[in-house]
Amino acid sequence: MKPVTRILCLSLGTLIYIAGCTLAPQYSRPEAPVPAAWPSGPAYGQAAEEQADKAIADIPWQEFFIDPKLRELIALALENNRDLRVAALNIEKSRAQYRIRRSDLFPKIDANAGATYQRLAEDFSGTGQAMNIDQYSLDLGMSSYELDLFGRVRSLKDQALEQFFATAQARRSMQISLVAEVAANYLVLAADRELLKLARDTLENQQSAYDLIRSRYDAGISSALDLYQARTSVDAARVDIARYTTFVAQDENALNLVVGSAVPADLLPAALSETLTALKELQPGLPSDVLLSRPDILQAEHLLKGANANIGAARAAFFPRITLVSSVGFGSEDLSGLFKSGSFGWKVAPQISVPIFQGGANVANLQAAEVDRDIAVAQYEKAIQTAFREVADALAQHGTIDEQLEAQQSLTDATAESYRLSSARYEKGVDSYLNVLDSQRSMYGAQQNLITVRLSRLNNLVTLYKVLGGGAKEDER
C-alpha cells in the first residue's frame, strides 16, 4: 500500500472513530441522600419492619382496588381525564423532537429541478446581438451536513432522548396520581354521604324526642328548659344536614372533573361502611431504595442525564465544525439534451469553521451547562428526599391507624350505651334532660369521628399505594 493511500485510510478511520464519540462527562447516579431503611419507632409499629411478598410497584391498580364501582370509575378516568391526555400528547411531542435531533446525524439529500429563461441585451451578449438563453437542470444534492467529529450533534440527540424518557415518566407519574385521586374522591364522597345519612337519622330521632318533650311540656310534666334543650339538638342536626348536603354535591362535582365526564349514578357509593373492603391490604416494609423506581424520581434522573449530555454539546463548541455541501446532476441548454453525454456535473464544497474569538460565549455556555447539571442533581436528590418523607408520613399513620380505629369504635359503643342509660334515667325522672343532651351529643360526635377515622384508614392505603409507586412497573410493561 502506498504511503499516501495508507495515510488517507488512517485519517478516514480516525474520523469515523471520533464521530462515534462525545465529549459529555461519564454519567454516574448520585447517591440517594436518605437512609437505607424506613423510620422506626412507636408511631410506625410493625409497618416499616414487615417484608411484603410483592413490591407495591408490581401491583396493578385493578388488583389493589377491589370495589367494582371504583375500578370502573378509574377506568373511565384513564380514558377521559384531560390532564392525562395532555401528558400522553406531550410524549408524542417529545418523541417527534427526538426524531428531529436524531435526523441531524444523517445527511439531508434533496432533488431539485429547474429551468431558466433569459434574454441578454446586445451589450451583454458578447456577440453584438441580443440572445435568448434557456437552461435546464436536474440535481441531487446534500446541503450543510455536519461531520459530527466531536459529538456535538450526538450530544444534542442524547439530550432530546432523555427529555423524551422524562416525559414518558411524567405521564406514568400522572397516571398513578390520577388513580389515587379518583379513589380519594370516591371515598370522601362515600364518607360525606354516610355523614349526611347520620345527620338525617339524628334529626329524625331528635325530632321525635322534641315532640315527646313538647307534649310533656304542654301537659306540665317537662320544663321549658327541657323543651329548648331538645330544640338545640334538632337545630344542630338541621345545620349538619345542610352542610353535608353541600359537601356531597361538591364531592360529586370533584369526581366528575377528575373522571373527565359525568359519573353515572349507579357508580356512586352509597356510604363509607359499604366500601370498607374496597382496597387491598398492603405490607409496605421494603428498603427505601424502592423509591428509585418511582416515576417522578426516574423523570428527575432522565432530566439529569439530559443536562449531562448538554455539557458534551457545549464542550464540542470549542472545536472546529466541518460541514459538507455537495450535489450531482445534469444541465443543458436544451431540455432534450438534459441527459446526453457531457451534461453531467458535480460539486463538493466542504466548509470548516474554527472558533477563534467568541467574546467568551463558548466558555459561558459551558459554565451554564455545568450549572444546569448541578441544578438537575439537586432536583434529583430533592425528589428522593420528598418521596422518602411522603412514604415515612404514610407509614407513621399506617402504624397507628388500626389502634386509633379500635379506640374510636370502643368510644362510639360506650357513648351509645351512655345515651341509652341517660335516656332511661330521664324517663324515670332520676336525671335531668341536660344529661340526655350531653350523652346524645357525645354519641353523635363519636359516630361522626368513627366515619372520619375509617376514611383516614382507607385514604392511608391509597396514599401508600401512590407514594410507593403502585402499579408503576405494571404500567411500564
Side-chain angles (χ1 to χ4, degrees):
M1 183 180 292
K2 294 182 180 180
V4 176
T5 306
R6 185 181 297 111
I7 292 174
L8 290 176
C9 291
L10 290 175
S11 299
L12 180 60
T14 302
L15 290 177
I16 294 174
Y17 174 77
I18 293 176
C21 301
T22 67
L23 299 178
Q26 183 69 30
Y27 173 77
S28 61
R29 175 186 290 174
E31 292 292 329
V34 295
W38 304 123
S40 60
Y44 300 93
Q46 300 296 319
E49 300 175 6
E50 299 173 355
Q51 291 298 312
D53 297 330
K54 186 177 183 181
I56 293 177
D58 291 326
I59 301 176
W61 63 264
Q62 296 92 336
E63 182 180 331
F64 175 68
F65 297 100
I66 302 173
D67 185 84
K69 292 182 179 180
L70 179 54
R71 282 193 294 196
E72 190 167 347
L73 281 180
I74 292 174
L76 284 175
L78 294 178
E79 181 180 353
N80 298 321
N81 184 268
R82 299 313 190 268
D83 289 334
L84 192 62
R85 190 174 300 176
V86 170
L89 293 174
N90 282 334
I91 293 178
E92 297 302 319
K93 179 181 177 181
S94 294
R95 180 185 287 114
Q97 291 173 336
Y98 163 66
R99 292 171 63 186
I100 292 172
R101 283 297 185 186
R102 187 182 62 177
S103 69
D104 291 337
L105 293 172
F106 306 98
K108 308 296 192 302
I109 299 176
D110 301 316
N112 299 288
T116 302
Y117 305 98
Q118 183 178 8
R119 179 176 176 81
L120 293 179
E122 295 178 355
D123 291 342
F124 300 137
S125 65
T127 62
Q129 296 180 353
M131 295 178 58
N132 292 329
I133 299 177
D134 298 339
Q135 293 179 340
Y136 302 90
S137 64
L138 179 63
D139 299 317
L140 190 67
M142 177 178 64
S143 61
S144 298
Y145 170 60
E146 179 178 347
L147 293 178
D148 194 27
L149 301 182
F150 302 99
R152 189 188 72 87
V153 177
R154 192 175 300 275
S155 294
L156 293 176
K157 183 267 297 183
D158 292 342
Q159 190 275 334
L161 179 61
E162 295 299 335
Q163 182 65 47
F164 165 63
F165 288 152
T167 306
Q169 294 297 337
R171 190 261 178 199
R172 291 175 56 215
S173 180
M174 179 167 290
Q175 175 166 324
I176 293 174
S177 297
L178 175 62
V179 169
E181 187 177 1
V182 172
N185 288 348
Y186 181 86
L187 294 173
V188 168
L189 174 59
D192 284 342
R193 281 191 162 190
E194 186 164 342
L195 288 168
L196 176 59
K197 182 179 183 301
L198 175 62
R200 287 171 174 167
D201 292 343
T202 300
L203 175 61
E204 183 178 349
N205 293 335
Q206 293 307 308
Q207 186 66 51
S208 298
Y210 173 76
D211 293 341
L212 177 61
I213 293 175
R214 184 173 183 83
S215 63
R216 295 177 57 152
Y217 171 76
D218 293 339
I221 301 175
S222 295
S223 66
L225 179 61
D226 292 344
L227 178 65
Y228 285 105
Q229 285 175 338
R231 180 63 180 269
T232 60
S233 296
V234 173
D235 291 339
R238 290 175 57 200
V239 170
D240 282 347
I241 289 174
R243 184 158 56 97
Y244 287 118
T245 299
T246 300
F247 289 165
V248 167
Q250 292 174 340
D251 294 340
E252 291 176 357
N253 293 336
L255 195 57
N256 288 336
L257 176 61
V258 72
V259 170
S261 63
V263 177
D266 58 341
L267 295 182
L268 297 177
L272 187 67
S273 57
E274 298 180 6
T275 62
L276 296 181
T277 59
L279 310 178
K280 180 178 180 178
E281 294 295 328
L282 294 176
Q283 291 179 307
L286 291 170
S288 62
D289 58 6
V290 300
L291 296 177
L292 300 181
S293 64
R294 272 185 34 158
D296 57 334
I297 294 178
L298 291 175
Q299 177 189 2
E301 184 175 11
H302 284 303
L303 293 175
L304 171 57
K305 290 179 179 179
N308 199 67
N310 265 341
I311 294 178
R315 286 177 175 177
F318 288 90
F319 296 89
R321 292 174 60 180
I322 300 176
T323 57
L324 297 180
V325 177
S326 64
S327 65
V328 295
F330 302 90
S332 175
E333 293 182 352
D334 298 315
L335 184 60
S336 60
L338 189 60
F339 297 102
K340 290 183 178 180
S341 176
S343 63
F344 177 75
W346 57 269
K347 180 179 70 173
V348 177
Q351 297 178 350
I352 183 169
S353 174
V354 180
I356 297 177
F357 177 74
Q358 304 293 328
N362 287 342
V363 174
N365 285 333
L366 178 58
Q367 291 175 345
E370 291 173 341
V371 171
D372 284 341
R373 189 267 316 274
D374 295 340
I375 291 174
V377 169
Q379 290 174 335
Y380 172 71
E381 293 174 341
K382 178 62 180 297
I384 294 178
Q385 291 175 336
T386 301
F388 186 88
R389 188 267 173 91
E390 290 174 350
V391 175
D393 286 348
L395 287 175
Q397 186 180 23
H398 189 75
T400 57
I401 191 65
D402 287 337
E403 182 179 353
Q404 182 181 352
L405 181 59
E406 180 183 354
Q408 187 62 48
Q409 182 66 64
S410 177
L411 177 61
T412 303
D413 294 340
T415 55
E417 182 65 15
S418 175
Y419 175 63
R420 186 187 67 81
L421 293 175
S422 61
S423 296
R425 290 172 64 85
Y426 173 73
E427 292 294 331
K428 294 179 181 180
V430 177
D431 279 342
S432 67
Y433 190 73
L434 181 60
N435 290 332
V436 177
L437 183 62
D438 288 340
S439 297
Q440 187 275 329
R441 286 174 176 170
S442 297
M443 181 187 69
Y444 183 43
Q447 290 172 332
Q448 289 177 315
N449 289 336
L450 179 61
I451 296 173
T452 301
V453 174
R454 286 173 174 172
L455 174 63
S456 296
R457 184 180 184 278
L458 292 174
N459 273 334
N460 175 250
L461 289 176
V462 174
T463 301
L464 270 177
Y465 184 74
K466 172 186 173 182
V467 299
L468 287 170
K473 294 183 180 178
E474 180 68 20
D475 179 61
E476 186 177 26
R477 289 193 291 268

